[in-house]
């Protein structure tokens, strides 16, 4: 029997414009089209708050240079205990939200560390499903009120490599794992590695296939031609350092002028400072590397249309957007994400990666013949475990 009921799509911890935000927009639209399903987009900050779909829109493009300026201050802040960091963060968000709403700033008349559970603003009720996309904060109070908790592992890097996170999201994930995960009744993963991580944390997951974002039509945006596209966050999560080592190896070993340009396309991820410094100090490997920060879906489609093939360094990715987009566009793809039509590669092994790229540069790689799944198919798969 198919699932019927109310779903609250919780995007707490999801950054606007990120892959997770794009996933929320596409999955949310598909869930709304399913019979008997009522869906509401919300956040917990700290009470449940209904938000508009525009909150998922992309921010202005470009790297976050402010992060570099406050790195030293974050080093000092890391010495503060995690519970105190979380309490200070809640207080700062409370002040910011008050200023944004142009209402009087509430005074801190109570201790910053709150032990009482705040009341819920939205009308969530027992039997409803709170569907979380990121391991952020504490949602155990909803389970205590009869709400079913479901975790769709879209932004799951905290479960696989928490050492790649900044201090605040790492603290949020630690709280979520300790307080919320024991109350989650349904977990859904799109990659075997994420499913194994969830199982290791004591919560078995349903493994389902995701859908590609790209449509059939092309894009009018201009892009690089005759290049190799590396679609992943710029940082350790995207194996950017290994990609640059592989490209340096190719430049040193292959005849001059035979190595195409490498285009890095993605967000500025955690632990990205060393990578961006390498790019700057090497003059982008003497002009052989370009960076496209925060590409829009249209921009990504234009990049795929102009590249020879795509490298999707998604060993720790939650749903393989770059791989699936590449296959949907008919572009050959080297990927660590398991998908029919992609060629498996280890993006953390620079020598192996260089050998595979060299082989594809010498011989035309096979064009994938794969049909992209629709988002309605994914929505039905997501609803399946909820009805079980």
């Amino acid at each position: 029997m198919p699932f019927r009921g109310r779903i609250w799509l919780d995007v707490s911890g999801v950054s606007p414009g990120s892959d997770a935000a794009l996933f929320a927009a596409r999955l949310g639209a598909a869930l709304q089209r399913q019979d008997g399903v009522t869906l509401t987009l919300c956040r917990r900050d700290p009470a449940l708050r209904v938000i508009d779909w525009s909150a998922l829109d992309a921010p202005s493009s470009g790297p976050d240079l402010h992060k570099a300026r406050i790195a030293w201050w974050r080093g000092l802040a890391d010495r503060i205990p995690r519970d105190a960091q979380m309490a200070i963060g809640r207080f700062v968000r409370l002040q910011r939200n008050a200023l944004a709403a142009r209402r009087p700033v509430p005074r801190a008349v109570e201790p910053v560390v709150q032990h009482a559970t705040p009341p819920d603003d939205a009308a969530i009720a027992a039997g409803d499903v709170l569907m979380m996309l990121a391991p952020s904060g504490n949602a155990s109070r909803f389970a205590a009120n009869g709400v079913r908790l479901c975790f769709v592992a879209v932004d799951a890097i905290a479960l696989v490599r928490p050492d790649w996170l900044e201090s605040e999201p790492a603290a949020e994930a630690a709280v979520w794992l300790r307080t919320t995960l024991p109350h989650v009744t349904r977990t859904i993963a799109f990659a075997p590695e994420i499913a194994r991580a969830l199982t290791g944390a004591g919560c078995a997951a349903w493994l389902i296939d995701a859908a590609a974002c790209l449509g059939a039509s092309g894009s009018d945006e201009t892009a690089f031609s005759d290049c190799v596209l590396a679609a992943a966050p710029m940082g350790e999560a995207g194996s950017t350092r290994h990609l640059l080592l592989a490209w340096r190896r190719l430049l040193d070993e292959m005849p001059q002028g035979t190595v195409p340009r490498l285009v890095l396309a993605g967000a500025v991820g955690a632990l990205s400072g060393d990578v961006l410094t390498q790019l700057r100090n090497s003059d982008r490997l003497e002009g052989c590397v370009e960076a496209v920060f925060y590409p829009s879906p249209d921009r990504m489609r234009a990049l795929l249309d102009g590249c020879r093939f795509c490298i999707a360094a998604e060993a720790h990715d939650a749903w393989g957007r770059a791989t699936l987009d590449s296959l949907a566009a008919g572009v050959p793809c080297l990927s660590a994400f398991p998908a029919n039509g992609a060629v498996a590669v280890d993006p953390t092994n620079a020598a192996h990666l260089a050998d595979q790229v060299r082989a594809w540069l010498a011989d035309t790689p096979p064009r994938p013949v794969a049909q992209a799944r629709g988002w309605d198919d994914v929505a039905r798969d997501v609803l399946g475990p909820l009805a079980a």
Side-chain angles (χ1 to χ4, degrees):
M1 183 176 180
F3 171 83
R4 294 179 180 275
R6 294 199 300 177
I7 296 177
W8 300 77
L9 187 58
D10 178 17
V11 292
S12 301
V14 174
S15 301
S18 65
D19 282 358
L22 180 60
F23 182 94
R26 297 300 175 89
L27 178 65
L31 288 172
Q32 287 179 314
R33 292 192 292 267
Q34 306 305 308
D35 292 337
V37 176
T38 302
L39 185 133
T40 304
L41 193 68
C42 63
R43 278 202 182 103
R44 294 173 283 113
D45 54 357
L48 197 68
R49 179 170 61 93
V50 176
I51 62 174
D52 189 78
W53 291 97
S54 61
L56 301 176
D57 290 345
S60 57
S61 60
D64 189 357
L65 300 179
H66 182 61
K67 291 169 68 175
R69 294 194 197 102
I70 64 174
W72 184 77
W73 292 103
R74 280 189 173 174
L76 295 179
D78 286 342
R79 302 177 188 177
I80 302 174
R82 281 191 171 184
D83 289 343
Q85 290 183 31
M86 297 288 293
I88 293 171
R90 287 194 297 268
F91 179 74
V92 171
R93 287 192 294 271
L94 181 65
Q95 307 302 305
R96 186 184 296 120
N97 292 339
L99 290 173
R102 295 184 179 180
R103 58 178 180 264
V105 178
R107 297 181 179 274
V109 295
E110 298 180 358
V112 175
V113 181
Q114 298 181 5
H115 299 284
T117 300
D120 295 335
D121 293 339
I124 192 168
D128 292 353
V129 174
L130 182 68
M131 184 176 290
M132 299 166 285
L133 301 183
S136 175
N138 182 1
S140 61
R141 68 181 185 275
F142 296 102
N145 294 329
V147 177
R148 300 169 61 194
L149 302 186
C150 172
F151 177 51
V152 181
V154 174
D155 189 1
I157 194 68
L159 303 177
V160 183
R161 290 299 301 266
D163 53 313
W164 286 353
L165 296 179
E166 303 290 351
S167 58
E168 184 175 349
E172 290 272 348
V175 171
W176 187 90
L177 286 169
R178 185 177 69 252
T179 62
T180 303
L181 186 59
H183 301 280
V184 173
T185 58
R186 294 291 183 270
T187 55
I188 297 170
F190 299 93
E193 184 169 1
I194 303 299
R196 286 193 296 269
L198 289 167
T199 302
C203 194
W206 275 263
L207 186 63
I208 66 176
D209 293 331
C213 293
L214 295 177
S217 60
S219 171
D220 295 332
E221 291 203 21
T222 58
F224 302 102
S225 60
D226 195 31
C227 67
V228 174
L229 177 65
M234 296 183 202
E236 288 298 320
S239 301
T240 312
R241 177 165 50 90
H242 302 285
L243 284 170
L244 295 180
L245 290 172
W247 231 252
R248 170 59 74 185
R249 188 186 187 109
L250 293 173
L251 291 170
D252 291 341
E253 296 177 355
M254 296 182 65
Q256 186 176 5
T258 60
V259 181
R261 188 183 322 193
L262 175 67
V263 178
L264 305 173
V268 178
L271 304 183
S272 61
D274 289 345
V275 168
L276 297 180
T277 300
Q278 290 177 37
L279 282 176
R280 183 177 61 252
N281 292 347
S282 66
D283 191 23
R284 298 176 289 107
L285 293 186
E286 290 75 46
C288 284
V289 178
E290 296 287 347
V292 179
F293 298 103
Y294 303 100
S296 65
D298 285 343
R299 180 65 164 161
M300 182 61 71
R301 180 56 189 260
L303 290 170
L304 285 169
D305 287 343
C307 73
R308 292 192 187 185
F309 56 87
C310 178
I311 302 174
E314 299 179 300
H316 306 284
D317 194 82
W319 60 291
R321 177 197 167 189
T323 301
L324 297 168
D325 279 358
S326 177
L327 298 177
V331 176
C333 182
L334 293 172
S335 176
F337 185 84
N340 292 331
V343 176
V345 68
D346 181 4
T348 64
N349 187 328
H352 170 62
L353 185 58
D355 291 342
Q356 184 66 64
V357 170
R358 185 188 291 108
W360 275 21
L361 292 177
D363 190 14
T364 302
R367 308 294 292 188
V369 181
Q371 297 295 324
R373 300 187 74 224
W375 284 98
D376 287 340
D377 296 329
V378 179
R380 285 189 286 270
D381 287 349
V382 168
L383 292 176
L386 299 182

